[in-house]
Amino acid sequence: MKILLLCVVAVLGLALLCSDGNKRPIRGFASSYHFDGEKFYNPTLPEGFDPTLLDILRMLREERARWPKRVPNLGNPRLEEELKKGSAALTFVGHATFLIQLQGLNILVDPVWSERASPVSWAGPRRVREPALKQDDLPRIDVVLITHNHYDHLDMDTLSALSRRFSPLVLAPLGDGNLLKSYGINDVIEMDWWESVKLDYHTQITFTPVQHTSGRSLFNRARSLWGSFFIKQDGISLYLGGDSGYSRHYLEIAERLGPPDVALLPIGSYLPRWFMQPVHMDPKEAIKAHNDLKAKVSIGMHFGTFQLSAEGFHQPVEELKEALKEGLLAGGRFIVLNEGDTFIYPKDMGTVSLR
């Protein structure tokens, strides 16, 4: 544990030197009700909520379960499915990365293909499984969605490669535009909560609230926004949840935009609860979020690739299974895919099950 703590502290120190984020206060977002002139904040958390460096160091001293060093992917992607109006194919690449295929549109969510979720390539959280799709196997990518700028969600090496190959439109939270453009990614729209972008006559994407935070070093925490995305296309709606603690946002999203057909909800990185609860749901809270959204089917994600917290490798899925056995699901279904599997809505609704 002492060796682990020293290694993590070293990486935190390197993050201060190597971070590619903006270290100066961000101005110009005065119209945002969740921006105080210096930082963004969560209206659903107590005023001034902000874990200190001592809190972080205390968290890092918590006992952590031992994860396997390498795990194979077992899924079978289906990327050539013919999609009709009202249908979608969602392929689980790993962690929070999904390929979303709609009629005439391909979207990547939080694409991370790097070996580590870290500011440096030789230290920090390392993959225990490869991405379930190779970048060379991707179809044309039209849009990339970034929920926030933590390294396990915003990977500049991956984004740069995607930009060179596909030149996709990138939708990102307020405050991340300068970082993206500094890497030559110029087709960027920064979004505030509840703002929408209409991609075509049939497709609208809305940036929706979550209870989380941001930062790529200790010097630029909460200097950019965080959130989730709600996609509406003729006959179908998808909610892409990013990272979040449980909050009233899910009820509000359903009230404003309607229940989604499919929701992607995080179920991992939740221990120790004294530190993680405000910003990461556990499996039972993910079920509460599903119930609030009134989703027809939710798919668990944000687990099983990078060890970012104290729980065991299998723990999120096992706890989700137990919570479902307890009857906590109010309606619909909550499933977990193997990395590489493709869920096709509504075609697979009659056959889905928890892995």
Side-chain angles (χ1 to χ4, degrees), residues 11-223:
V11 171
L12 288 173
L14 284 166
L16 301 181
L17 299 174
C18 304
S19 168
D20 50 13
N22 182 4
K23 295 181 180 180
R24 293 172 295 177
I26 294 173
R27 309 290 181 179
F29 301 138
S31 62
S32 294
Y33 66 92
H34 38 273
F35 182 72
D36 65 9
E38 294 283 337
K39 295 183 177 183
F40 293 93
Y41 63 92
N42 291 290
T44 49
L45 286 175
E47 186 176 352
F49 168 81
D50 191 10
T52 66
L53 178 58
L54 289 178
D55 291 330
I56 294 171
L57 293 176
R58 178 188 164 199
M59 182 272 292
L60 293 172
R61 294 185 66 183
E62 293 270 350
E63 193 68 32
R64 292 162 67 91
R66 185 181 295 276
W67 276 35
K69 290 186 177 180
R70 220 62 177 175
V71 179
N73 293 318
L74 302 176
N76 295 299
R78 293 176 285 165
L79 306 185
E80 305 298 328
E81 190 82 9
E82 183 179 351
L83 298 174
K84 299 179 181 179
K85 179 180 176 181
S87 62
L90 300 93
T91 302
F92 186 26
V93 179
H95 192 59
T97 304
F98 272 80
L99 170 64
I100 310 293
Q101 295 176 279
L102 298 166
Q103 189 177 42
L105 188 68
N106 296 323
I107 300 171
L108 272 179
V109 185
D110 288 346
V112 177
W113 262 261
S114 289
E115 181 68 10
R116 294 185 187 271
S118 170
V120 294
S121 62
W122 49 269
R126 186 175 187 175
R127 289 180 171 277
V128 302
R129 63 170 83 241
E130 296 295 322
L133 294 179
K134 295 180 180 179
Q135 287 194 52
D136 288 344
D137 294 334
L138 290 171
R140 180 198 75 252
I141 300 301
D142 303 295
V143 181
V144 172
L145 305 181
I146 304 297
T147 61
H148 63 294
N149 70 6
H150 286 155
Y151 286 95
D152 60 317
H153 293 258
L154 196 161
D155 175 16
M156 291 310 309
D157 287 344
T158 296
L159 285 174
S160 296
L162 292 169
S163 180
R164 289 191 299 269
R165 184 177 174 193
F166 300 112
S167 299
L169 171 65
V170 178
L171 304 185
L174 287 178
D176 286 326
N178 287 341
L179 169 60
L180 294 166
K181 291 174 183 177
S182 72
Y183 281 78
I185 302 169
N186 295 312
D187 195 1
V188 177
I189 298 177
E190 293 182 82
M191 302 182 72
D192 199 357
W193 291 345
W194 301 116
E195 288 186 343
S196 296
V197 170
K198 197 151 190 175
L199 298 181
D200 53 41
Y201 184 76
H202 304 281
T203 312
Q204 178 174 288
I205 300 180
T206 303
F207 193 53
T208 44
V210 295
Q211 184 174 283
H212 198 56
T213 186
S214 68
R216 292 174 74 82
S217 82
L218 295 180
F219 286 157
N220 62 12
R221 293 160 66 193
R223 301 301 173 92

Side-chain angles (χ1 to χ4, degrees), residues 331-346:
R333 298 187 179 189
F334 204 126
I335 66 170
V336 176
L337 303 175
N338 286 310
E339 284 78 359
D341 274 343
T342 301
F343 173 75
I344 299 172
Y345 178 87

